[in-house]
Amino acid sequence: MAQTADHGGGVRSLRVPIPDNPLGHTLVYVVDTDRGPVLVDTGWDDPDSWDALTEGLQACGTSAAEIHGVVITHHHPDHHGLSGRVRAASGAWVAMHAADTAVVRRTREARPEHWFTYMSAKLAAAGAPEEHLAPLRRPRSLPGLSPALPDREIVPGELLDLPGRRLRAIWTPGHTPGHVCLHLEEEHPAGLPGRGRLFSGDHLLPEITPHIGLYEDVDDTTAVADPLGDYLDSLERVGRLAPAEVLPAHQHPFTDAPARVRELLAHHEERLTGLLALLGTPLTPWQLAERMEWNRPWAQIPYGSRTIAVSEAEAHLRRLVKLGRAEPVPGTDPVAYTAV
């Protein structure tokens, strides 16, 4: 039986499972418009997930064939994965921010071996040990290499083309370079105080801190992004918006966005302070990741999650360097960092 919820005011949600993932499911939102339902995100591209999506749409009184459009908060496969199938079933348009569309285009065009070579070099430069690098030298096929190419661009600050609704895009980079939140500029159906409702994607979740890693561009090794800085800035912007209710892509809806924003800002400041204490001794990004606090001991973190953890350590290091609180140690290879 599909799990759906009615949030009032022509907005419903349904749960689309994410295979083998502790997050469990993506909340896909169905927004009524004058031209038919529009989806906010679609869920993971998997047969069971597709079945859950189609059953959930039926429980909401519609079907995949009737979808007018798809608005994607960001390019990750648990959000964008089923967009192509929805478009094939309905002819719906698919909209995404240009920065994430560029990631999708690169993903579609990249040869798997090119990506493995890039990741191997990147992890070696971060100080990864040989046992972590060895599997990357055995190229294999990668899932999710053909995500649907969006055909519409989400432009920050502009209203999306949802007839009869007021849905405004807010660019919130950090989790991905083109992540957007979507502000439904309509009075809350239950009269809650605040400014409308916010579809927050992965930017603002009630109990989880979203992953902030480095933005990957296999072909551009010169760009120096500061994703954690981007995330903290866009968090503050969402906090000032003060929506009456937040409709996130995971877990459950919640109120008091400014309080949650304050918690996340404090969490990252505390984490940066903790990393500075660790950097009393020069450490590579890999060594720093080994010593950081995660939801389980490093020895129990699986292979793929270690790669993600190192990316997060690098994002925090980059922020500390930009703030002048840490610096690379000259002559180290792989590069080690120390507190200033």
Side-chain angles (χ1 to χ4, degrees), residues 13-144:
S13 65
L14 53 99
R15 295 180 171 203
V16 177
I18 310 170
D20 304 317
N21 189 295
L23 276 176
H25 60 267
T26 302
L27 288 171
V28 171
Y29 292 93
V30 186
V31 181
D32 292 340
T33 81
D34 291 347
R35 286 199 203 144
V38 167
L39 299 184
V40 177
D41 291 333
T42 58
W44 191 276
D45 186 6
D46 176 84
D48 290 342
S49 305
W50 174 252
D51 289 346
L53 178 65
T54 54
E55 288 168 22
L57 289 172
Q58 286 171 351
C60 289
T62 185
S63 70
E66 294 175 70
I67 299 304
H68 171 60
V70 176
V71 184
I72 299 298
T73 59
H74 62 297
H75 72 81
H76 286 164
D78 56 323
H79 297 259
H80 180 46
L82 285 169
S83 300
R85 288 196 70 170
V86 171
R87 183 164 59 190
S90 62
W93 47 261
V94 176
M96 185 183 283
H97 186 282
D100 272 20
T101 295
V103 176
V104 169
R105 187 172 282 110
R106 286 201 304 268
T107 303
R108 289 170 62 88
E109 294 170 357
R111 300 186 315 278
E113 60 272 19
H114 185 33
W115 189 87
F116 282 115
T117 301
Y118 164 80
M119 282 306 296
S120 179
K122 190 167 170 45
L123 283 160
E130 176 56 32
E131 62 265 23
H132 192 84
L133 299 174
L136 293 169
R137 301 200 182 102
R138 298 192 295 273
R140 56 201 181 279
S141 65
L142 275 173

Side-chain angles (χ1 to χ4, degrees), residues 4 16 48 86 131 161 163 184 193 198 208 219 225 234 237 245 250-251 274 287-288 313 321 323 334 340:
T4 62
V16 177
D48 290 342
V86 171
E131 62 265 23
D161 182 21
L184 194 59
L198 186 75
I208 299 171
D219 299 311
S234 48
R237 208 158 56 243
E245 187 178 24
H250 303 289
Q251 299 189 303
Q287 290 168 331
L288 185 62
V321 169
L323 292 170
V340 174

Side-chain angles (χ1 to χ4, degrees), residues 27-317:
L27 288 171
V28 171
Y29 292 93
V30 186
V31 181
D32 292 340
T33 81
D34 291 347
R35 286 199 203 144
V38 167
L39 299 184
V40 177
D41 291 333
T42 58
W44 191 276
D45 186 6
D46 176 84
D48 290 342
S49 305
W50 174 252
D51 289 346
L53 178 65
T54 54
E55 288 168 22
L57 289 172
Q58 286 171 351
C60 289
T62 185
S63 70
E66 294 175 70
I67 299 304
H68 171 60
V70 176
V71 184
I72 299 298
T73 59
H74 62 297
H75 72 81
H76 286 164
D78 56 323
H79 297 259
H80 180 46
L82 285 169
S83 300
R85 288 196 70 170
V86 171
R87 183 164 59 190
S90 62
W93 47 261
V94 176
M96 185 183 283
H97 186 282
D100 272 20
T101 295
V103 176
V104 169
R105 187 172 282 110
R106 286 201 304 268
T107 303
R108 289 170 62 88
E109 294 170 357
R111 300 186 315 278
E113 60 272 19
H114 185 33
W115 189 87
F116 282 115
T117 301
Y118 164 80
M119 282 306 296
S120 179
K122 190 167 170 45
L123 283 160
E130 176 56 32
E131 62 265 23
H132 192 84
L133 299 174
L136 293 169
R137 301 200 182 102
R138 298 192 295 273
R140 56 201 181 279
S141 65
L142 275 173
L145 273 184
S146 295
L149 196 60
D151 45 74
R152 285 197 184 183
E153 182 180 335
I154 295 176
V155 180
E158 291 191 3
L159 288 171
L160 279 83
D161 182 21
L162 271 61
R165 310 302 300 243
R166 288 187 62 84
L167 188 68
R168 193 176 302 278
I170 303 169
W171 185 33
T172 49
H175 183 59
T176 70
H179 191 292
V180 292
C181 291
L182 302 149
H183 186 208
L184 194 59
E185 297 178 339
E186 301 167 10
E187 195 169 320
H188 192 280
L192 294 182
R195 300 175 59 197
R197 291 183 280 181
L198 186 75
F199 299 103
S200 66
D202 281 0
H203 184 69
L204 195 62
L205 301 169
E207 296 151 23
I208 299 171
T209 305
H211 164 68
I212 310 297
L214 295 188
Y215 304 145
E216 308 292 358
D217 184 348
V218 180
D219 299 311
D220 185 359
T221 53
T222 59
V224 181
D226 178 19
L228 183 54
D230 292 343
Y231 179 66
L232 299 175
D233 287 346
S234 48
L235 257 187
E236 292 189 22
R237 208 158 56 243
V238 164
R240 288 193 295 272
L241 186 67
E245 187 178 24
V246 178
L247 302 173
H250 303 289
Q251 299 189 303
H252 54 81
F254 62 101
T255 56
D256 203 351
R260 181 63 182 137
V261 165
R262 287 192 296 273
E263 286 175 5
L264 287 164
L265 291 171
H267 162 80
H268 282 288
E269 186 53 44
E270 192 177 306
R271 182 154 234 198
L272 289 169
T273 302
L275 298 191
L276 279 176
L278 291 174
L279 291 172
T281 306
L283 298 172
T284 65
W286 182 277
Q287 290 168 331
L288 185 62
E290 286 180 315
R291 290 160 176 77
M292 287 169 71
E293 278 190 37
W294 304 104
N295 59 3
R296 65 189 101 171
W298 184 258
Q300 295 173 22
I301 294 178
Y303 179 89
S305 299
R306 288 188 179 192
T307 298
I308 293 169
V310 173
S311 179
E312 187 142 331
E314 288 190 277
H316 281 75
L317 274 171

